[in-house]
Amino acid sequence: MLGTAFNVLMIILGSIIGSVFKKGIKNEYQDILMNAMGLAALALGMNTIVQHMPDSKYPVLFIVSLALGALIGQKINLEEKFNNLVSKFSKGNLAEGLSTAILLFCIGSLSILGPVEAALKGDYTYLFANGMLDFITSIVLASTFGLGIAVAALVLFCWQGSIYLIAKLIENSLNADLMNEISIIGGILILCSGLGILGIKKIKTLNLLPALAIPPLMFLIIFVFKL
């Protein structure tokens, strides 16, 4: 968990630095930072999709996952619940920034593969690299949305910690194909977040999060029934 602790520390530190800068940054500079963040999210999302899509052995799975995940997420209405929760503690558009931060910090390939590498091989390279990237990202986000972005560090700790523990428990059963499918969906979610930041299309990205749970369920069904 050393790599995850480093990642969390970088987010908190970056959020503090960014929130200090926020006080002296004019609106036009905050706007351009938001544009930069949106473009970065688009680039990260597209890169993840392009990188993993050719290796997919189940080319329809991500479509099915997104469709089912969207229906489940809309039924639960995760977006509204999240916004209502954040609004109790903060005014302004922190909810948008926090949801974006959670997606960028947690759904990237490094954040998913890093804990797996740490659990199976004791290799923290991915997590250290991810920590430095998140440090820069948190500075940019906190300079626009404020110190509340640091809350994403707690979510990241739970996310990576869960992946680490699961990888330890089922290290003999982990499938590279499963990680590939999750990465494709994660890339799409990051892309959606970028579209929202740029004001191109407001998508209820959090309502799509259940899509990440569909591939593991499908792979479990395939394993149990030997399909």
Side-chain angles (χ1 to χ4, degrees):
M1 296 293 286
L2 175 64
T4 295
F6 175 78
N7 207 159
V8 167
L9 180 61
M10 288 297 98
I11 292 175
I12 294 174
L13 183 60
S15 298
I16 293 172
I17 294 174
S19 65
V20 171
F21 286 162
K22 178 180 174 66
K23 298 177 182 178
I25 297 179
K26 296 180 180 179
N27 290 334
E28 57 264 31
Y29 290 104
Q30 291 190 30
D31 290 340
I32 199 65
L33 282 173
M34 280 298 294
N35 289 336
M37 199 66 255
L39 290 171
L42 288 179
L44 287 170
M46 288 188 289
N47 179 67
T48 302
I49 296 168
V50 171
Q51 183 180 3
H52 293 278
M53 189 74 78
D55 297 326
S56 176
K57 295 182 180 179
Y58 307 91
V60 182
L61 180 56
F62 81 95
I63 301 175
V64 174
S65 298
L66 285 170
L68 291 177
L71 291 174
I72 295 171
Q74 187 62 40
K75 179 66 176 178
I76 302 173
N77 208 345
L78 293 173
E79 186 94 8
E80 182 178 346
K81 286 182 170 62
F82 180 79
N83 290 338
N84 290 339
L85 178 63
V86 173
S87 65
K88 293 180 180 178
F89 302 97
S90 174
K91 296 180 180 179
N93 56 349
L94 176 60
E96 179 184 2
L98 197 51
S99 62
T100 299
I102 290 171
L103 286 172
L104 288 174
F105 295 156
C106 297
I107 312 302
S109 299
L110 292 176
S111 191
I112 295 174
L113 297 177
V116 175
E117 287 288 306
L120 303 184
K121 303 177 183 178
D123 185 355
Y124 299 103
T125 303
Y126 284 171
L127 288 176
F128 287 152
N130 195 58
M132 294 309 300
L133 289 172
D134 289 349
F135 172 67
I136 297 171
T137 303
S138 60
I139 290 177
V140 176
L141 285 172
S143 69
T144 302
F145 297 107
L147 185 59
I149 292 299
V151 174
L154 176 60
V155 179
L156 177 87
F157 179 80
C158 296
W159 170 256
Q160 289 188 357
S162 298
I163 294 177
Y164 181 89
L165 292 175
I166 291 172
K168 274 292 189 182
L169 290 173
I170 60 172
E171 56 183 308
N172 296 324
S173 307
L174 267 181
N175 193 314
D177 293 334
L178 171 59
M179 301 303 297
N180 191 64
E181 298 301 326
I182 291 176
S183 295
I184 292 172
I185 297 171
I188 293 173
L189 295 182
I190 294 175
L191 182 62
C192 291
S193 181
L195 291 174
I197 294 173
L198 293 172
I200 297 173
K201 174 68 176 178
K202 289 293 182 182
I203 300 173
K204 294 182 177 179
T205 310
L206 291 181
N207 283 357
L208 295 174
L209 277 181
L212 291 170
I214 304 301
L217 181 60
M218 296 297 292
F219 272 71
L220 179 61
I221 293 174
I222 291 172
F223 175 77
V224 170
F225 295 98
K226 307 295 182 181
L227 298 177

Coordinates of all heavy atoms in Angstrom, one line a residue, residues 112-186:
I112 N -5.7 1.7 -11.9 CA -6.3 0.3 -11.9 C -5.2 -0.7 -11.9 O -5.2 -1.7 -11.1 CB -7.3 0.1 -13.0 CG1 -8.5 1.0 -12.9 CG2 -7.7 -1.4 -13.1 CD1 -9.4 1.0 -14.1
L113 N -4.2 -0.6 -12.8 CA -3.2 -1.6 -12.9 C -2.1 -1.4 -11.8 O -1.5 -2.4 -11.5 CB -2.5 -1.4 -14.3 CG -3.4 -1.7 -15.5 CD1 -2.6 -1.4 -16.8 CD2 -3.9 -3.1 -15.5
G114 N -2.0 -0.2 -11.3 CA -1.0 0.0 -10.3 C -1.1 -0.8 -9.0 O -0.2 -1.5 -8.6
P115 N -2.3 -0.8 -8.4 CA -2.5 -1.7 -7.2 C -2.3 -3.2 -7.6 O -1.9 -4.0 -6.7 CB -4.0 -1.4 -6.8 CG -4.2 0.0 -7.4 CD -3.5 0.0 -8.7
V116 N -2.7 -3.6 -8.8 CA -2.6 -5.0 -9.2 C -1.1 -5.3 -9.2 O -0.6 -6.4 -8.7 CB -3.2 -5.2 -10.5 CG1 -3.0 -6.7 -11.0 CG2 -4.7 -5.0 -10.4
E117 N -0.3 -4.5 -9.9 CA 1.2 -4.7 -10.0 C 1.8 -4.7 -8.6 O 2.7 -5.5 -8.3 CB 1.8 -3.6 -10.8 CG 1.5 -3.7 -12.3 CD 2.3 -4.9 -12.9 OE1 3.5 -5.0 -12.8 OE2 1.6 -5.7 -13.6
A118 N 1.3 -3.8 -7.7 CA 1.9 -3.8 -6.3 C 1.5 -5.0 -5.6 O 2.4 -5.6 -4.8 CB 1.3 -2.6 -5.6
A119 N 0.3 -5.5 -5.7 CA -0.1 -6.7 -5.0 C 0.5 -8.0 -5.5 O 0.9 -8.9 -4.7 CB -1.7 -6.9 -5.1
L120 N 0.7 -8.1 -6.8 CA 1.2 -9.4 -7.4 C 2.7 -9.4 -7.5 O 3.3 -10.5 -7.4 CB 0.6 -9.6 -8.8 CG -0.9 -9.6 -8.9 CD1 -1.4 -10.0 -10.3 CD2 -1.5 -10.6 -7.9
K121 N 3.3 -8.2 -7.8 CA 4.8 -8.2 -8.0 C 5.6 -7.3 -7.1 O 6.8 -7.3 -7.1 CB 5.0 -7.7 -9.5 CG 4.3 -8.6 -10.5 CD 4.6 -8.0 -11.9 CE 3.8 -8.8 -13.0 NZ 4.0 -8.2 -14.3
G122 N 4.9 -6.6 -6.2 CA 5.6 -5.6 -5.3 C 6.2 -4.5 -6.1 O 7.1 -3.9 -5.6
D123 N 5.6 -4.2 -7.3 CA 6.2 -3.1 -8.2 C 5.3 -1.9 -8.0 O 4.1 -1.9 -8.3 CB 6.1 -3.6 -9.6 CG 6.8 -2.6 -10.6 OD1 7.1 -1.5 -10.1 OD2 6.9 -2.9 -11.8
Y124 N 5.9 -0.8 -7.5 CA 5.1 0.4 -7.3 C 5.3 1.5 -8.4 O 4.9 2.6 -8.2 CB 5.5 1.0 -5.9 CG 5.3 0.1 -4.8 CD1 6.3 -0.6 -4.2 CD2 4.0 0.0 -4.3 CE1 6.1 -1.4 -3.1 CE2 3.7 -0.9 -3.2 CZ 4.8 -1.6 -2.6 OH 4.5 -2.4 -1.5
T125 N 5.9 1.1 -9.5 CA 6.3 2.1 -10.5 C 5.0 2.8 -11.1 O 5.0 4.0 -11.2 CB 6.9 1.3 -11.7 OG1 8.1 0.7 -11.3 CG2 7.4 2.4 -12.8
Y126 N 4.0 2.0 -11.4 CA 2.7 2.6 -11.9 C 2.1 3.6 -10.9 O 1.6 4.7 -11.2 CB 1.7 1.5 -12.2 CG 2.0 0.8 -13.5 CD1 1.2 -0.4 -13.8 CD2 3.0 1.2 -14.4 CE1 1.5 -1.1 -15.0 CE2 3.2 0.5 -15.5 CZ 2.5 -0.7 -15.8 OH 2.7 -1.4 -17.0
L127 N 2.1 3.2 -9.6 CA 1.5 4.0 -8.6 C 2.3 5.3 -8.3 O 1.7 6.4 -8.1 CB 1.3 3.3 -7.3 CG 0.3 2.2 -7.3 CD1 0.3 1.4 -6.0 CD2 -1.1 2.8 -7.5
F128 N 3.6 5.2 -8.4 CA 4.4 6.4 -8.2 C 4.2 7.4 -9.4 O 4.1 8.6 -9.2 CB 5.9 6.1 -8.1 CG 6.3 5.5 -6.7 CD1 7.3 4.6 -6.6 CD2 5.5 5.8 -5.6 CE1 7.6 4.0 -5.4 CE2 5.8 5.2 -4.4 CZ 6.9 4.3 -4.3
A129 N 4.2 6.8 -10.6 CA 3.9 7.7 -11.8 C 2.6 8.3 -11.7 O 2.4 9.5 -12.0 CB 4.1 6.8 -13.0
N130 N 1.6 7.5 -11.3 CA 0.2 8.0 -11.2 C 0.1 9.1 -10.1 O -0.6 10.1 -10.3 CB -0.7 6.9 -10.8 CG -2.2 7.2 -11.0 OD1 -2.6 7.5 -12.1 ND2 -3.0 7.1 -9.9
G131 N 0.9 9.0 -9.0 CA 0.9 10.0 -8.0 C 1.4 11.3 -8.5 O 0.8 12.4 -8.1
M132 N 2.4 11.3 -9.3 CA 2.9 12.6 -9.9 C 1.9 13.2 -10.8 O 1.8 14.4 -10.8 CB 4.3 12.3 -10.6 CG 5.4 11.9 -9.6 SD 5.6 13.0 -8.2 CE 6.0 14.5 -9.0
L133 N 1.3 12.4 -11.6 CA 0.3 12.9 -12.5 C -0.9 13.5 -11.8 O -1.4 14.6 -12.1 CB -0.2 11.8 -13.5 CG 0.7 11.3 -14.5 CD1 0.2 10.1 -15.2 CD2 1.0 12.4 -15.6
D134 N -1.3 12.8 -10.7 CA -2.5 13.3 -9.9 C -2.1 14.5 -9.1 O -3.0 15.4 -8.9 CB -2.9 12.2 -8.9 CG -3.6 11.0 -9.6 OD1 -3.9 11.2 -10.8 OD2 -3.8 10.0 -9.0
F135 N -0.8 14.7 -8.8 CA -0.4 15.9 -8.1 C -0.6 17.1 -9.0 O -1.2 18.1 -8.5 CB 1.1 15.8 -7.8 CG 1.8 17.0 -7.3 CD1 1.4 17.5 -6.0 CD2 2.7 17.7 -8.0 CE1 2.0 18.7 -5.5 CE2 3.3 18.8 -7.5 CZ 3.0 19.3 -6.3
I136 N -0.2 17.0 -10.3 CA -0.4 18.1 -11.2 C -1.9 18.4 -11.4 O -2.4 19.5 -11.4 CB 0.3 17.8 -12.5 CG1 1.8 17.7 -12.3 CG2 0.0 18.9 -13.6 CD1 2.6 17.2 -13.5
T137 N -2.6 17.3 -11.6 CA -4.1 17.4 -11.9 C -4.8 18.0 -10.7 O -5.7 18.9 -10.9 CB -4.7 16.0 -12.2 OG1 -4.0 15.4 -13.3 CG2 -6.1 16.1 -12.6
S138 N -4.5 17.7 -9.5 CA -5.1 18.2 -8.3 C -4.8 19.7 -8.2 O -5.7 20.4 -7.7 CB -4.7 17.4 -7.1 OG -3.3 17.5 -6.8
I139 N -3.7 20.1 -8.5 CA -3.3 21.6 -8.5 C -4.3 22.3 -9.4 O -4.9 23.4 -9.0 CB -1.9 21.8 -8.9 CG1 -0.9 21.3 -7.8 CG2 -1.6 23.3 -9.1 CD1 0.6 21.5 -8.1
V140 N -4.4 21.8 -10.6 CA -5.3 22.5 -11.6 C -6.7 22.5 -11.2 O -7.4 23.5 -11.2 CB -5.1 21.8 -13.0 CG1 -6.1 22.5 -14.0 CG2 -3.7 21.9 -13.5
L141 N -7.2 21.4 -10.7 CA -8.6 21.3 -10.3 C -8.9 22.1 -9.1 O -9.9 22.8 -9.0 CB -9.0 19.8 -10.0 CG -9.1 18.9 -11.2 CD1 -9.3 17.4 -10.8 CD2 -10.3 19.3 -12.0
A142 N -8.0 22.1 -8.1 CA -8.2 22.8 -6.8 C -8.1 24.3 -7.1 O -8.7 25.1 -6.4 CB -7.2 22.4 -5.8
S143 N -7.3 24.7 -8.1 CA -7.2 26.2 -8.4 C -8.5 26.7 -8.9 O -8.7 27.9 -8.9 CB -6.1 26.4 -9.4 OG -6.4 25.9 -10.6
T144 N -9.3 25.8 -9.4 CA -10.6 26.2 -10.0 C -11.8 25.9 -9.0 O -12.6 26.7 -8.8 CB -10.9 25.4 -11.3 OG1 -9.8 25.7 -12.2 CG2 -12.2 25.9 -11.9
F145 N -11.8 24.7 -8.4 CA -12.9 24.3 -7.6 C -12.6 24.4 -6.1 O -13.6 24.3 -5.3 CB -13.2 22.8 -7.9 CG -13.7 22.6 -9.3 CD1 -12.9 22.0 -10.2 CD2 -14.9 23.0 -9.7 CE1 -13.3 21.8 -11.5 CE2 -15.4 22.8 -11.0 CZ -14.5 22.2 -11.9
G146 N -11.4 24.6 -5.6 CA -11.1 24.8 -4.2 C -10.6 23.5 -3.6 O -10.4 22.5 -4.2
L147 N -10.3 23.7 -2.3 CA -9.6 22.6 -1.5 C -10.5 21.3 -1.4 O -10.0 20.3 -1.1 CB -9.4 23.2 -0.1 CG -8.6 22.3 0.9 CD1 -7.2 21.9 0.3 CD2 -8.4 22.9 2.3
G148 N -11.8 21.4 -1.6 CA -12.7 20.3 -1.5 C -12.3 19.1 -2.4 O -12.6 18.0 -2.2
I149 N -11.4 19.4 -3.4 CA -10.9 18.4 -4.3 C -10.1 17.3 -3.6 O -10.1 16.2 -4.0 CB -10.0 19.0 -5.4 CG1 -10.9 19.9 -6.4 CG2 -9.3 18.0 -6.2 CD1 -12.0 19.2 -7.1
A150 N -9.6 17.7 -2.4 CA -8.8 16.8 -1.6 C -9.6 15.6 -1.1 O -9.1 14.5 -0.8 CB -8.2 17.5 -0.4
V151 N -11.0 15.7 -1.1 CA -11.8 14.6 -0.7 C -11.6 13.4 -1.6 O -11.8 12.3 -1.2 CB -13.3 15.1 -0.7 CG1 -14.2 13.9 -0.4 CG2 -13.5 16.2 0.3
A152 N -11.3 13.7 -2.9 CA -11.1 12.6 -3.9 C -9.9 11.7 -3.4 O -9.9 10.5 -3.8 CB -10.8 13.2 -5.2
A153 N -9.0 12.2 -2.6 CA -7.9 11.4 -2.1 C -8.5 10.2 -1.2 O -8.0 9.1 -1.3 CB -7.0 12.2 -1.2
L154 N -9.5 10.5 -0.5 CA -10.1 9.4 0.4 C -10.8 8.4 -0.5 O -10.7 7.2 -0.3 CB -11.2 10.0 1.3 CG -12.0 9.0 2.1 CD1 -11.1 8.2 3.1 CD2 -13.0 9.8 3.0
V155 N -11.5 8.8 -1.6 CA -12.1 7.9 -2.5 C -11.0 7.1 -3.2 O -11.2 5.9 -3.4 CB -12.9 8.7 -3.6 CG1 -13.5 7.7 -4.6 CG2 -14.0 9.5 -2.9
L156 N -9.9 7.7 -3.6 CA -8.8 7.0 -4.3 C -8.2 5.9 -3.3 O -8.0 4.8 -3.8 CB -7.7 8.0 -4.6 CG -6.5 7.3 -5.3 CD1 -6.7 7.2 -6.8 CD2 -5.2 8.1 -5.0
F157 N -8.1 6.3 -2.1 CA -7.5 5.3 -1.1 C -8.4 4.1 -1.0 O -7.9 2.9 -1.0 CB -7.4 6.0 0.3 CG -6.8 5.0 1.3 CD1 -5.5 4.8 1.4 CD2 -7.7 4.4 2.2 CE1 -5.0 3.9 2.4 CE2 -7.2 3.5 3.2 CZ -5.9 3.3 3.3
C158 N -9.7 4.3 -0.9 CA -10.7 3.2 -0.9 C -10.7 2.4 -2.1 O -10.7 1.1 -2.1 CB -12.1 3.7 -0.6 SG -12.3 4.5 1.0
W159 N -10.6 3.1 -3.3 CA -10.6 2.4 -4.6 C -9.4 1.5 -4.8 O -9.5 0.4 -5.1 CB -10.7 3.5 -5.7 CG -10.5 3.1 -7.1 CD1 -9.4 3.2 -7.9 CD2 -11.4 2.3 -7.9 NE1 -9.6 2.7 -9.1 CE2 -10.8 2.2 -9.2 CE3 -12.7 1.9 -7.7 CZ2 -11.4 1.5 -10.2 CZ3 -13.3 1.2 -8.8 CH2 -12.7 1.0 -10.0
Q160 N -8.2 2.2 -4.7 CA -7.0 1.4 -4.9 C -6.7 0.3 -3.8 O -6.2 -0.7 -4.1 CB -5.8 2.4 -4.9 CG -5.7 3.2 -6.2 CD -4.4 4.0 -6.3 OE1 -3.6 4.0 -5.4 NE2 -4.3 4.8 -7.4
G161 N -7.2 0.7 -2.6 CA -7.0 -0.3 -1.5 C -7.9 -1.5 -1.8 O -7.4 -2.7 -1.5
S162 N -9.1 -1.3 -2.3 CA -10.0 -2.4 -2.6 C -9.4 -3.3 -3.7 O -9.4 -4.5 -3.7 CB -11.3 -1.9 -3.1 OG -12.0 -1.2 -2.0
I163 N -8.9 -2.6 -4.8 CA -8.2 -3.4 -5.9 C -7.0 -4.2 -5.4 O -6.8 -5.3 -5.8 CB -7.8 -2.4 -7.0 CG1 -9.0 -1.7 -7.6 CG2 -7.0 -3.1 -8.1 CD1 -8.7 -0.7 -8.7
Y164 N -6.2 -3.6 -4.5 CA -5.1 -4.2 -4.0 C -5.5 -5.5 -3.2 O -4.9 -6.6 -3.4 CB -4.3 -3.3 -3.1 CG -3.1 -3.8 -2.4 CD1 -1.8 -3.7 -3.1 CD2 -3.1 -4.5 -1.2 CE1 -0.7 -4.2 -2.5 CE2 -2.0 -5.0 -0.6 CZ -0.8 -4.9 -1.3 OH 0.4 -5.4 -0.7
L165 N -6.5 -5.4 -2.3 CA -6.9 -6.5 -1.5 C -7.5 -7.6 -2.4 O -7.2 -8.8 -2.2 CB -7.9 -6.0 -0.5 CG -7.3 -5.1 0.6 CD1 -8.5 -4.7 1.5 CD2 -6.3 -5.9 1.4
I166 N -8.3 -7.2 -3.4 CA -8.9 -8.2 -4.3 C -7.9 -8.9 -5.1 O -7.9 -10.1 -5.2 CB -9.9 -7.5 -5.2 CG1 -11.2 -7.0 -4.4 CG2 -10.4 -8.5 -6.3 CD1 -12.1 -6.2 -5.2
A167 N -6.9 -8.2 -5.6 CA -5.8 -8.8 -6.3 C -5.0 -9.8 -5.5 O -4.6 -10.8 -6.0 CB -4.8 -7.7 -6.9
K168 N -4.8 -9.5 -4.2 CA -4.1 -10.4 -3.3 C -4.9 -11.7 -3.1 O -4.4 -12.8 -3.0 CB -3.9 -9.7 -2.0 CG -2.6 -8.9 -1.9 CD -1.4 -9.7 -1.9 CE -0.1 -8.9 -1.6 NZ 1.1 -9.8 -1.8
L169 N -6.3 -11.5 -3.0 CA -7.1 -12.6 -2.7 C -7.3 -13.6 -3.9 O -7.4 -14.8 -3.7 CB -8.5 -12.1 -2.2 CG -8.5 -11.5 -0.8 CD1 -9.9 -10.9 -0.6 CD2 -8.2 -12.5 0.2
I170 N -7.3 -13.0 -5.1 CA -7.6 -13.8 -6.3 C -6.5 -13.7 -7.3 O -6.7 -13.7 -8.5 CB -8.9 -13.4 -7.0 CG1 -8.9 -11.9 -7.4 CG2 -10.1 -13.7 -6.0 CD1 -10.1 -11.5 -8.2
E171 N -5.2 -13.6 -6.8 CA -4.1 -13.4 -7.7 C -3.9 -14.5 -8.7 O -3.4 -14.2 -9.8 CB -2.8 -13.2 -6.9 CG -2.5 -14.4 -5.9 CD -1.2 -14.1 -5.1 OE1 -0.2 -13.7 -5.8 OE2 -1.3 -14.1 -3.9
N172 N -4.4 -15.6 -8.4 CA -4.3 -16.7 -9.4 C -5.4 -16.7 -10.5 O -5.3 -17.5 -11.4 CB -4.3 -18.1 -8.7 CG -3.1 -18.3 -7.8 OD1 -2.0 -17.8 -8.1 ND2 -3.3 -18.9 -6.6
S173 N -6.4 -15.9 -10.2 CA -7.6 -15.9 -11.1 C -7.7 -14.6 -11.9 O -8.5 -14.6 -12.8 CB -8.8 -16.1 -10.3 OG -8.8 -17.3 -9.5
L174 N -6.9 -13.6 -11.6 CA -7.0 -12.3 -12.3 C -6.8 -12.5 -13.8 O -5.8 -13.1 -14.2 CB -6.1 -11.3 -11.8 CG -6.6 -10.4 -10.7 CD1 -5.6 -9.4 -10.2 CD2 -7.9 -9.7 -11.1
N175 N -7.6 -11.9 -14.6 CA -7.5 -12.1 -16.1 C -7.2 -10.7 -16.7 O -7.8 -9.7 -16.4 CB -8.9 -12.6 -16.6 CG -8.9 -13.0 -18.0 OD1 -8.3 -12.4 -18.8 ND2 -9.5 -14.2 -18.2
A176 N -6.2 -10.7 -17.5 CA -5.7 -9.5 -18.2 C -6.9 -9.0 -19.1 O -7.0 -7.8 -19.3 CB -4.5 -9.8 -19.1
D177 N -7.7 -9.9 -19.7 CA -8.8 -9.5 -20.5 C -9.8 -8.7 -19.8 O -10.4 -7.7 -20.3 CB -9.5 -10.7 -21.1 CG -8.6 -11.4 -22.1 OD1 -7.7 -10.8 -22.7 OD2 -8.7 -12.6 -22.3
L178 N -10.0 -9.0 -18.5 CA -11.0 -8.3 -17.7 C -10.5 -6.9 -17.4 O -11.2 -5.9 -17.5 CB -11.2 -9.0 -16.3 CG -12.0 -8.3 -15.2 CD1 -13.4 -8.0 -15.7 CD2 -12.0 -9.1 -14.0
M179 N -9.2 -6.7 -17.1 CA -8.6 -5.4 -16.8 C -8.7 -4.6 -18.1 O -8.9 -3.4 -18.0 CB -7.2 -5.6 -16.4 CG -7.0 -6.4 -15.1 SD -7.9 -5.8 -13.7 CE -7.1 -4.2 -13.5
N180 N -8.6 -5.2 -19.2 CA -8.6 -4.5 -20.5 C -10.0 -3.9 -20.7 O -10.2 -2.8 -21.1 CB -8.3 -5.5 -21.6 CG -8.0 -4.7 -23.0 OD1 -7.1 -3.9 -23.1 ND2 -8.9 -5.0 -23.9
E181 N -11.1 -4.7 -20.5 CA -12.4 -4.3 -20.7 C -12.8 -3.1 -19.7 O -13.5 -2.2 -20.1 CB -13.4 -5.4 -20.5 CG -13.2 -6.6 -21.4 CD -13.4 -6.2 -22.9 OE1 -14.2 -5.3 -23.2 OE2 -12.7 -6.7 -23.7
I182 N -12.3 -3.2 -18.5 CA -12.6 -2.2 -17.5 C -11.9 -0.9 -17.9 O -12.5 0.2 -17.8 CB -12.1 -2.6 -16.1 CG1 -13.0 -3.8 -15.6 CG2 -12.1 -1.4 -15.1 CD1 -12.5 -4.3 -14.2
S183 N -10.7 -1.0 -18.4 CA -10.0 0.2 -18.9 C -10.7 0.9 -20.0 O -10.7 2.1 -20.1 CB -8.5 -0.2 -19.3 OG -7.8 -0.7 -18.2
I184 N -11.3 0.1 -21.0 CA -12.0 0.7 -22.1 C -13.2 1.6 -21.6 O -13.4 2.7 -22.0 CB -12.5 -0.4 -23.0 CG1 -11.3 -1.1 -23.8 CG2 -13.5 0.2 -24.1 CD1 -11.7 -2.3 -24.6
I185 N -13.9 1.0 -20.6 CA -15.1 1.7 -20.1 C -14.6 2.9 -19.3 O -15.2 4.0 -19.4 CB -15.9 0.8 -19.2 CG1 -16.5 -0.4 -20.0 CG2 -17.0 1.5 -18.5 CD1 -17.1 -1.5 -19.2
G186 N -13.5 2.7 -18.5 CA -12.9 3.9 -17.8 C -12.5 5.0 -18.7 O -12.8 6.2 -18.4

